[in-house]
Coordinates of all heavy atoms in Angstrom, one line a residue:
M1 N 13.6 9.8 -8.3 CA 12.7 8.7 -8.7 C 12.6 7.7 -7.6 O 13.6 7.3 -7.0 CB 13.0 8.0 -9.9 CG 12.2 7.0 -10.4 SD 10.8 7.6 -11.3 CE 10.3 6.0 -12.1
L2 N 11.4 7.3 -7.2 CA 11.2 6.2 -6.1 C 11.6 4.9 -6.7 O 11.5 4.5 -7.9 CB 9.7 6.2 -5.9 CG 9.1 6.2 -4.6 CD1 9.6 7.3 -3.8 CD2 7.6 6.1 -4.5
T3 N 12.1 4.0 -5.8 CA 12.4 2.7 -6.2 C 11.2 1.8 -5.9 O 10.3 2.2 -5.1 CB 13.7 2.2 -5.3 OG1 13.2 2.1 -4.0 CG2 14.8 3.0 -5.5
C4 N 11.3 0.6 -6.5 CA 10.2 -0.3 -6.3 C 10.1 -0.7 -4.8 O 8.9 -0.7 -4.2 CB 10.4 -1.6 -7.0 SG 10.5 -1.4 -8.8
K5 N 11.2 -0.7 -4.0 CA 11.2 -1.1 -2.6 C 10.5 0.0 -1.9 O 9.7 -0.2 -1.0 CB 12.6 -1.3 -2.2 CG 12.7 -1.8 -0.7 CD 14.1 -2.1 -0.4 CE 14.3 -2.8 1.0 NZ 15.6 -3.1 1.3
E6 N 10.8 1.3 -2.2 CA 10.2 2.4 -1.6 C 8.7 2.4 -1.9 O 7.9 2.9 -1.0 CB 10.9 3.7 -1.9 CG 12.4 3.8 -1.4 CD 13.0 5.1 -2.1 OE1 12.8 5.2 -3.4 OE2 13.9 5.7 -1.5
L7 N 8.3 2.2 -3.1 CA 6.8 2.2 -3.4 C 6.2 1.1 -2.5 O 5.0 1.4 -2.0 CB 6.6 1.8 -4.9 CG 5.2 1.9 -5.3 CD1 5.0 2.6 -6.5 CD2 4.6 0.5 -5.4
V8 N 6.7 -0.1 -2.5 CA 6.1 -1.1 -1.7 C 6.0 -0.7 -0.2 O 4.9 -0.9 0.5 CB 6.9 -2.4 -1.7 CG1 6.4 -3.5 -0.7 CG2 6.8 -3.0 -3.2
A9 N 7.0 0.0 0.4 CA 6.9 0.4 1.7 C 5.8 1.4 2.0 O 5.3 1.5 3.1 CB 8.3 1.0 2.2
N10 N 5.6 2.2 0.9 CA 4.5 3.2 1.1 C 3.1 2.9 0.6 O 2.3 3.7 0.4 CB 5.0 4.5 0.4 CG 6.1 5.2 1.3 OD1 6.0 5.8 2.3 ND2 7.3 5.1 0.7
S11 N 3.0 1.7 0.0 CA 1.8 1.2 -0.7 C 0.6 1.4 0.1 O -0.4 1.8 -0.4 CB 2.0 -0.1 -1.4 OG 2.1 -1.1 -0.3
S12 N 0.6 1.0 1.4 CA -0.6 0.9 2.2 C -1.1 2.4 2.4 O -2.3 2.7 2.3 CB -0.3 0.2 3.5 OG -0.3 -1.1 3.3
D13 N -0.2 3.2 2.8 CA -0.5 4.8 2.9 C -0.9 5.4 1.7 O -1.8 6.2 1.8 CB 0.8 5.4 3.6 CG 1.0 5.0 5.0 OD1 0.2 4.5 5.7 OD2 2.2 5.2 5.5
F14 N -0.4 4.9 0.6 CA -0.8 5.4 -0.7 C -2.3 5.1 -0.9 O -3.0 5.9 -1.3 CB 0.1 5.0 -1.8 CG -0.4 5.2 -3.3 CD1 -0.3 6.6 -3.6 CD2 -0.9 4.3 -4.0 CE1 -0.7 6.8 -5.0 CE2 -1.3 4.6 -5.4 CZ -1.2 5.9 -5.8
L15 N -2.6 3.8 -0.9 CA -3.9 3.4 -1.0 C -5.0 3.9 -0.1 O -6.1 4.1 -0.4 CB -4.0 1.9 -1.0 CG -3.3 1.1 -2.2 CD1 -3.2 -0.4 -1.9 CD2 -3.9 1.5 -3.5
D16 N -4.6 4.3 1.1 CA -5.2 4.9 2.2 C -5.3 6.4 2.1 O -6.0 7.0 2.8 CB -4.9 4.4 3.6 CG -5.2 3.0 3.9 OD1 -6.0 2.4 3.1 OD2 -4.5 2.4 4.7
R17 N -4.6 6.9 1.1 CA -4.5 8.4 0.8 C -4.0 9.0 2.1 O -4.6 10.2 2.4 CB -5.9 8.9 0.4 CG -6.3 8.3 -0.9 CD -7.6 8.8 -1.4 NE -7.9 8.3 -2.8 CZ -9.1 7.9 -3.2 NH1 -10.2 8.1 -2.4 NH2 -9.2 7.4 -4.3
Q18 N -3.0 8.6 2.6 CA -2.4 9.3 3.8 C -1.0 9.7 3.5 O -0.2 10.0 4.5 CB -2.4 8.2 5.0 CG -3.7 7.8 5.4 CD -3.7 6.8 6.5 OE1 -2.6 6.3 6.9 NE2 -4.8 6.5 7.1
L19 N -0.7 10.0 2.3 CA 0.7 10.5 1.9 C 0.7 12.0 1.6 O -0.4 12.5 1.2 CB 1.3 9.7 0.7 CG 1.6 8.2 1.0 CD1 2.1 7.5 -0.1 CD2 2.6 8.1 2.1
S20 N 1.8 12.6 1.6 CA 1.9 14.0 1.2 C 1.7 14.0 -0.4 O 1.9 13.0 -1.1 CB 3.3 14.6 1.5 OG 4.3 13.8 0.7
L21 N 1.3 15.2 -0.9 CA 1.2 15.4 -2.3 C 2.5 15.0 -3.1 O 2.4 14.3 -4.1 CB 0.8 16.9 -2.6 CG 0.7 17.2 -4.1 CD1 -0.3 16.3 -4.7 CD2 0.5 18.6 -4.3
R22 N 3.6 15.5 -2.5 CA 5.0 15.1 -3.2 C 5.2 13.6 -3.3 O 5.6 13.1 -4.4 CB 6.0 15.8 -2.4 CG 7.5 15.5 -3.0 CD 8.5 16.2 -2.2 NE 9.8 16.0 -2.7 CZ 10.9 16.3 -2.2 NH1 10.9 16.9 -1.0 NH2 12.0 16.0 -2.7
L23 N 4.8 12.9 -2.2 CA 5.1 11.5 -2.3 C 4.1 10.7 -3.2 O 4.4 9.8 -3.9 CB 5.1 10.8 -0.9 CG 5.6 9.4 -0.7 CD1 6.9 9.2 -1.4 CD2 5.8 9.1 0.8
R24 N 2.9 11.2 -3.2 CA 1.9 10.7 -4.1 C 2.2 10.9 -5.5 O 2.1 9.9 -6.3 CB 0.4 11.3 -3.8 CG -0.2 10.8 -2.5 CD -1.7 11.2 -2.5 NE -2.0 12.5 -2.9 CZ -2.2 13.6 -2.1 NH1 -2.1 13.4 -0.8 NH2 -2.4 14.8 -2.7
L25 N 2.7 12.0 -5.7 CA 3.2 12.3 -7.2 C 4.3 11.4 -7.6 O 4.4 11.0 -8.7 CB 3.5 13.8 -7.4 CG 2.3 14.7 -7.4 CD1 2.7 16.2 -7.3 CD2 1.4 14.4 -8.4
S26 N 5.2 11.1 -6.7 CA 6.4 10.3 -7.0 C 6.0 8.9 -7.2 O 6.4 8.2 -8.1 CB 7.4 10.4 -5.8 OG 8.0 11.6 -5.6
I27 N 5.1 8.4 -6.4 CA 4.4 7.1 -6.6 C 3.7 7.0 -8.0 O 4.0 6.0 -8.7 CB 3.6 6.7 -5.5 CG1 4.4 6.3 -4.2 CG2 2.7 5.5 -5.8 CD1 3.6 6.2 -2.9
R28 N 3.0 8.0 -8.3 CA 2.2 8.0 -9.6 C 3.2 7.9 -10.8 O 3.0 7.3 -11.8 CB 1.2 9.1 -9.7 CG 0.0 8.9 -8.7 CD -1.0 10.1 -9.1 NE -2.2 9.8 -8.1 CZ -3.1 9.1 -8.4 NH1 -3.2 8.3 -9.4 NH2 -4.1 9.0 -7.5
A29 N 4.3 8.7 -10.6 CA 5.2 8.8 -11.7 C 5.9 7.3 -11.9 O 6.2 6.8 -13.0 CB 6.3 9.8 -11.4
H30 N 6.2 6.7 -10.7 CA 6.8 5.4 -10.7 C 5.9 4.4 -11.4 O 6.3 3.6 -12.2 CB 7.2 5.0 -9.3 CG 7.9 3.6 -9.2 ND1 9.2 3.5 -9.2 CD2 7.3 2.4 -9.2 CE1 9.5 2.1 -9.2 NE2 8.4 1.5 -9.2
L31 N 4.7 4.4 -10.9 CA 3.6 3.5 -11.5 C 3.4 3.7 -13.0 O 3.2 2.7 -13.7 CB 2.3 3.7 -10.8 CG 2.2 3.2 -9.4 CD1 0.9 3.7 -8.7 CD2 2.4 1.8 -9.3
A32 N 3.6 4.8 -13.5 CA 3.5 5.1 -15.0 C 4.6 4.3 -15.7 O 4.3 4.0 -16.9 CB 3.5 6.6 -15.2
M33 N 5.7 4.1 -15.0 CA 6.8 3.5 -15.8 C 7.1 2.0 -15.4 O 7.8 1.4 -15.9 CB 8.1 4.3 -15.5 CG 7.9 5.7 -16.1 SD 9.4 6.6 -16.2 CE 10.1 6.6 -14.5
C34 N 6.4 1.5 -14.3 CA 6.8 0.3 -13.8 C 5.6 -0.7 -13.8 O 4.7 -0.6 -13.0 CB 7.4 0.4 -12.3 SG 8.0 -1.3 -11.6
R35 N 5.6 -1.6 -14.7 CA 4.5 -2.6 -14.9 C 4.3 -3.5 -13.6 O 3.3 -3.8 -13.1 CB 4.7 -3.4 -16.1 CG 3.7 -4.4 -16.3 CD 3.9 -5.2 -17.7 NE 5.3 -5.6 -17.9 CZ 5.7 -6.8 -17.8 NH1 4.8 -7.8 -17.6 NH2 7.1 -7.1 -17.9
K36 N 5.5 -3.9 -13.1 CA 5.4 -4.8 -11.8 C 4.7 -4.1 -10.7 O 4.0 -4.6 -10.0 CB 6.9 -5.3 -11.5 CG 7.4 -6.3 -12.5 CD 8.7 -6.8 -12.1 CE 9.3 -7.7 -13.2 NZ 10.6 -8.1 -12.9
C37 N 5.1 -2.8 -10.5 CA 4.5 -2.0 -9.3 C 3.0 -1.8 -9.5 O 2.3 -1.9 -8.6 CB 5.3 -0.8 -9.1 SG 6.9 -1.2 -8.2
R38 N 2.7 -1.6 -10.9 CA 1.2 -1.4 -11.2 C 0.4 -2.7 -10.9 O -0.7 -2.6 -10.2 CB 0.9 -1.1 -12.6 CG 1.4 0.3 -13.0 CD 0.8 0.8 -14.3 NE 1.3 -0.1 -15.4 CZ 2.4 0.0 -16.2 NH1 3.1 1.1 -15.9 NH2 2.6 -0.7 -17.1
R39 N 1.0 -3.8 -11.2 CA 0.5 -5.0 -10.8 C 0.4 -5.3 -9.3 O -0.7 -5.8 -8.8 CB 1.2 -6.3 -11.4 CG 0.5 -7.7 -11.2 CD 1.3 -8.7 -11.7 NE 1.8 -8.5 -13.1 CZ 2.9 -8.8 -13.6 NH1 3.9 -9.3 -12.9 NH2 3.3 -8.6 -15.0
F40 N 1.4 -4.9 -8.6 CA 1.4 -5.0 -7.1 C 0.3 -4.1 -6.6 O -0.4 -4.6 -5.7 CB 2.7 -4.5 -6.6 CG 2.8 -4.5 -5.0 CD1 2.9 -5.6 -4.3 CD2 2.7 -3.2 -4.4 CE1 2.9 -5.5 -3.0 CE2 2.8 -3.2 -3.1 CZ 2.9 -4.2 -2.4
I41 N 0.1 -2.8 -7.1 CA -0.9 -2.1 -6.5 C -2.3 -2.5 -6.8 O -3.2 -2.5 -6.0 CB -0.8 -0.6 -7.0 CG1 0.5 0.0 -6.5 CG2 -2.0 0.3 -6.7 CD1 0.5 0.4 -5.0
R42 N -2.5 -3.1 -8.0 CA -3.8 -3.7 -8.3 C -4.2 -4.9 -7.3 O -5.2 -5.0 -6.9 CB -3.8 -4.3 -9.6 CG -4.0 -3.2 -10.7 CD -4.5 -3.8 -12.1 NE -3.4 -4.7 -12.7 CZ -2.3 -4.5 -13.4 NH1 -2.2 -3.2 -13.7 NH2 -1.5 -5.4 -13.8
Q43 N -3.1 -5.6 -6.9 CA -3.3 -6.8 -6.1 C -3.6 -6.3 -4.7 O -4.5 -7.0 -4.1 CB -2.0 -7.7 -6.1 CG -1.9 -8.5 -7.3 CD -0.4 -9.2 -7.3 OE1 0.5 -8.8 -6.6 NE2 -0.3 -10.2 -8.2
M44 N -2.9 -5.2 -4.4 CA -3.2 -4.7 -3.0 C -4.7 -4.2 -3.0 O -5.4 -4.2 -1.9 CB -2.2 -3.4 -2.7 CG -0.8 -3.9 -2.4 SD -0.7 -4.6 -0.8 CE -0.9 -3.2 0.3
R45 N -5.2 -3.5 -4.0 CA -6.5 -3.0 -4.0 C -7.5 -4.1 -4.0 O -8.5 -4.0 -3.3 CB -6.8 -2.2 -5.3 CG -6.1 -0.8 -5.3 CD -6.5 0.1 -6.4 NE -6.0 1.5 -6.3 CZ -5.3 2.1 -7.1 NH1 -5.0 1.6 -8.3 NH2 -4.8 3.4 -6.9
L46 N -7.2 -5.3 -4.6 CA -8.0 -6.4 -4.7 C -8.1 -7.0 -3.2 O -9.2 -7.3 -2.7 CB -7.6 -7.4 -5.6 CG -8.4 -8.8 -5.6 CD1 -9.7 -8.5 -6.0 CD2 -7.7 -9.7 -6.6
S47 N -7.0 -7.0 -2.5 CA -6.9 -7.5 -1.2 C -7.7 -6.6 -0.2 O -8.4 -7.1 0.6 CB -5.4 -7.6 -0.7 OG -4.7 -8.4 -1.4
Q48 N -7.6 -5.3 -0.4 CA -8.5 -4.4 0.3 C -10.0 -4.6 0.2 O -10.7 -4.7 1.1 CB -8.2 -2.9 0.0 CG -6.9 -2.4 0.6 CD -6.8 -0.9 0.3 OE1 -7.2 -0.4 -0.7 NE2 -6.0 -0.3 1.1
A49 N -10.4 -4.9 -1.1 CA -11.7 -5.1 -1.5 C -12.2 -6.3 -0.7 O -13.3 -6.5 -0.3 CB -11.9 -5.2 -2.9
V50 N -11.4 -7.4 -0.7 CA -11.8 -8.7 -0.1 C -11.9 -8.5 1.3 O -12.8 -8.9 2.0 CB -10.7 -9.8 -0.5 CG1 -10.9 -11.0 0.4 CG2 -10.8 -10.1 -1.9
L51 N -10.9 -7.8 2.0 CA -11.0 -7.6 3.4 C -12.3 -6.7 3.9 O -12.8 -7.0 4.9 CB -9.8 -6.8 4.0 CG -8.5 -7.6 3.9 CD1 -7.3 -6.8 4.3 CD2 -8.7 -8.8 4.9
R52 N -12.8 -5.8 2.9 CA -13.9 -5.1 3.2 C -15.2 -6.0 3.3 O -16.2 -5.6 3.8 CB -14.1 -4.0 2.2 CG -13.2 -2.9 2.5 CD -13.5 -1.6 1.5 NE -12.4 -0.7 1.6 CZ -11.5 -0.5 0.6 NH1 -11.7 -1.2 -0.6 NH2 -10.5 0.4 0.7
Q53 N -15.1 -7.1 2.6 CA -16.2 -8.0 2.5 C -16.5 -8.9 3.7 O -17.4 -9.6 4.0 CB -16.1 -8.9 1.3 CG -16.1 -8.1 0.0 CD -17.4 -7.4 -0.2 OE1 -18.5 -7.9 0.1 NE2 -17.2 -6.1 -0.6
L54 N -15.4 -8.9 4.7 CA -15.4 -9.6 5.9 C -16.5 -9.1 6.8 O -16.8 -8.0 6.8 CB -14.0 -9.8 6.6 CG -13.0 -10.5 5.8 CD1 -11.5 -10.4 6.5 CD2 -13.3 -11.9 5.7
P55 N -16.9 -10.0 7.7 CA -18.0 -9.6 8.8 C -17.4 -8.4 9.5 O -16.1 -8.4 9.9 CB -18.2 -10.8 9.6 CG -17.8 -11.9 8.7 CD -16.7 -11.4 7.7
Q56 N -18.1 -7.5 10.0 CA -17.7 -6.4 10.8 C -17.0 -6.6 12.1 O -16.1 -6.0 12.4 CB -19.0 -5.4 11.1 CG -19.5 -4.8 9.9 CD -18.6 -3.8 9.2 OE1 -17.6 -3.4 9.9 NE2 -18.9 -3.4 8.0
G57 N -17.4 -7.7 12.7 CA -16.8 -8.0 14.0 C -15.3 -8.4 13.9 O -14.6 -8.0 14.8
Q58 N -14.8 -8.8 12.9 CA -13.5 -9.1 12.7 C -12.6 -7.9 12.2 O -11.5 -7.9 12.2 CB -13.3 -10.2 11.8 CG -13.9 -11.5 12.1 CD -13.9 -12.6 11.1 OE1 -13.3 -12.3 10.0 NE2 -14.3 -13.8 11.4
S59 N -13.2 -6.8 11.7 CA -12.6 -5.7 11.0 C -11.6 -4.9 12.0 O -10.5 -4.7 11.6 CB -13.7 -4.7 10.5 OG -13.0 -3.7 10.0
A60 N -12.0 -4.8 13.2 CA -11.1 -4.1 14.1 C -9.8 -4.8 14.4 O -8.8 -4.2 14.4 CB -11.9 -3.8 15.4
E61 N -10.0 -6.1 14.6 CA -8.8 -7.0 14.8 C -7.9 -6.9 13.5 O -6.6 -6.9 13.7 CB -9.2 -8.4 15.2 CG -9.9 -8.5 16.4 CD -10.5 -9.9 16.7 OE1 -10.1 -10.8 15.9 OE2 -11.3 -10.0 17.5
L62 N -8.5 -7.1 12.3 CA -7.7 -7.0 11.1 C -7.1 -5.8 10.9 O -5.9 -5.6 10.4 CB -8.6 -7.4 10.0 CG -9.1 -8.9 9.9 CD1 -10.1 -9.1 8.7 CD2 -7.9 -9.9 9.8
D63 N -7.8 -4.6 11.2 CA -7.2 -3.3 11.0 C -5.9 -3.1 11.9 O -4.9 -2.7 11.5 CB -8.1 -2.2 11.4 CG -9.2 -2.1 10.3 OD1 -9.0 -2.5 9.1 OD2 -10.3 -1.4 10.6
A64 N -6.1 -3.6 13.2 CA -4.9 -3.5 14.1 C -3.7 -4.4 13.6 O -2.5 -4.1 13.5 CB -5.2 -4.0 15.4
L65 N -4.0 -5.6 13.1 CA -3.0 -6.4 12.5 C -2.3 -5.9 11.3 O -1.1 -5.8 11.1 CB -3.6 -7.8 12.2 CG -2.7 -8.8 11.4 CD1 -1.5 -9.2 12.4 CD2 -3.3 -10.0 11.0
A66 N -3.1 -5.2 10.4 CA -2.7 -4.5 9.2 C -1.7 -3.4 9.6 O -0.7 -3.1 9.1 CB -3.7 -4.0 8.4
R67 N -2.2 -2.6 10.7 CA -1.2 -1.5 11.1 C 0.0 -2.1 11.6 O 1.1 -1.5 11.4 CB -2.0 -0.6 12.2 CG -3.0 0.3 11.5 CD -3.5 1.3 12.6 NE -4.1 0.7 13.8 CZ -5.3 0.3 13.8 NH1 -6.2 0.5 12.8 NH2 -5.9 -0.3 14.9
E68 N 0.0 -3.1 12.4 CA 1.2 -3.7 13.0 C 2.2 -4.2 11.9 O 3.4 -3.9 11.9 CB 0.9 -4.7 13.9 CG 2.1 -5.4 14.6 CD 2.9 -4.6 15.5 OE1 2.5 -3.5 15.8 OE2 4.1 -5.0 15.8
L69 N 1.5 -4.8 10.9 CA 2.3 -5.4 9.8 C 3.1 -4.3 9.0 O 4.2 -4.2 8.7 CB 1.5 -6.2 8.8 CG 1.1 -7.6 9.4 CD1 0.1 -8.2 8.5 CD2 2.3 -8.4 9.7
A70 N 2.3 -3.1 8.8 CA 2.8 -2.0 8.0 C 3.9 -1.4 8.8 O 5.0 -1.0 8.3 CB 1.7 -0.9 7.9
R71 N 3.8 -1.2 10.2 CA 4.8 -0.7 11.1 C 6.1 -1.5 11.0 O 7.2 -1.0 10.8 CB 4.4 -0.6 12.5 CG 5.3 0.0 13.5 CD 4.9 -0.1 14.9 NE 4.9 -1.4 15.4 CZ 5.9 -2.1 15.7 NH1 7.0 -1.7 15.6 NH2 5.7 -3.4 16.2
L72 N 6.0 -2.8 11.0 CA 7.1 -3.7 11.1 C 7.9 -3.6 9.7 O 9.1 -3.7 9.6 CB 6.6 -5.2 11.2 CG 6.3 -5.5 12.6 CD1 5.6 -6.8 12.7 CD2 7.3 -5.4 13.7
R73 N 7.0 -3.5 8.6 CA 7.6 -3.4 7.3 C 8.5 -2.1 7.1 O 9.5 -2.1 6.6 CB 6.5 -3.4 6.2 CG 7.1 -3.4 4.8 CD 6.1 -3.5 3.7 NE 5.1 -2.4 3.8 CZ 3.8 -2.5 3.8 NH1 3.3 -3.7 3.4 NH2 3.0 -1.5 4.0
R74 N 7.9 -1.0 7.6 CA 8.6 0.3 7.7 C 9.9 0.3 8.4 O 10.9 0.8 8.1 CB 7.7 1.4 8.1 CG 6.7 1.9 7.1 CD 6.1 3.1 7.6 NE 5.1 3.0 8.7 CZ 4.0 2.7 8.7 NH1 3.3 2.5 7.5 NH2 3.2 2.6 9.8
E75 N 9.9 -0.5 9.6 CA 11.0 -0.6 10.4 C 12.3 -1.3 9.8 O 13.4 -1.1 10.0 CB 10.8 -1.3 11.8 CG 10.0 -0.4 12.7 CD 9.7 -1.2 14.0 OE1 9.9 -2.3 14.2 OE2 9.0 -0.5 14.8
R76 N 11.9 -2.3 8.9 CA 12.8 -3.1 8.2 C 13.6 -2.3 7.1 O 14.6 -2.6 6.7 CB 12.2 -4.3 7.6 CG 12.0 -5.4 8.6 CD 11.7 -6.6 7.9 NE 10.3 -6.9 7.8 CZ 9.7 -7.7 7.0 NH1 10.4 -8.5 6.2 NH2 8.4 -7.8 6.9
L77 N 13.0 -1.3 6.6 CA 13.5 -0.4 5.6 C 14.5 0.6 6.3 O 15.5 1.0 6.3 CB 12.5 0.5 4.8 CG 11.6 -0.4 4.0 CD1 10.5 0.6 3.4 CD2 12.3 -1.2 3.0

């Protein structure tokens, strides 16, 4: 079973549908039992929706920043 920390580390890739089937199923099983992680994923989806509303010129810079932050987060685990 996935831990909350592992779910958080994989959340961006999960929302971007860039995970293997096995890991996606593990995350879905965890979300079925963990209210806090369901709330976290809802907040992440809301954040993505807000970012999509930003003007197009800033999108490339924000995407690069998001990738860098995700990389740094993975390195800390």
Side-chain angles (χ1 to χ4, degrees):
M1 174 89 162
L2 224 56
T3 66
C4 295
K5 188 174 183 178
E6 291 169 324
L7 182 135
V8 169
N10 289 290
S11 62
S12 292
D13 291 336
F14 173 72
L15 293 172
D16 292 338
R17 297 182 177 143
Q18 296 180 348
L19 295 176
S20 67
L21 176 61
R22 181 179 178 191
L23 194 48
R24 282 193 321 258
L25 291 174
S26 293
I27 288 175
R28 289 188 181 276
H30 182 94
L31 290 173
M33 297 188 308
C34 184
R35 180 174 46 104
K36 290 180 182 180
C37 286
R38 284 193 304 271
R39 184 180 312 137
F40 172 77
I41 291 295
R42 278 195 307 271
Q43 290 171 342
M44 289 287 291
R45 284 187 175 130
L46 178 60
S47 296
Q48 283 183 333
V50 169
L51 288 174
R52 286 188 192 108
Q53 299 300 316
L54 292 175
Q56 290 293 345
Q58 297 174 357
S59 182
E61 294 172 15
L62 291 174
D63 287 344
L65 177 61
R67 281 192 301 276
E68 178 64 14
L69 290 173
R71 183 187 65 77
L72 290 171
R73 184 179 58 221
R74 282 191 293 271
E75 286 178 359
R76 281 195 264 162
L77 296 176

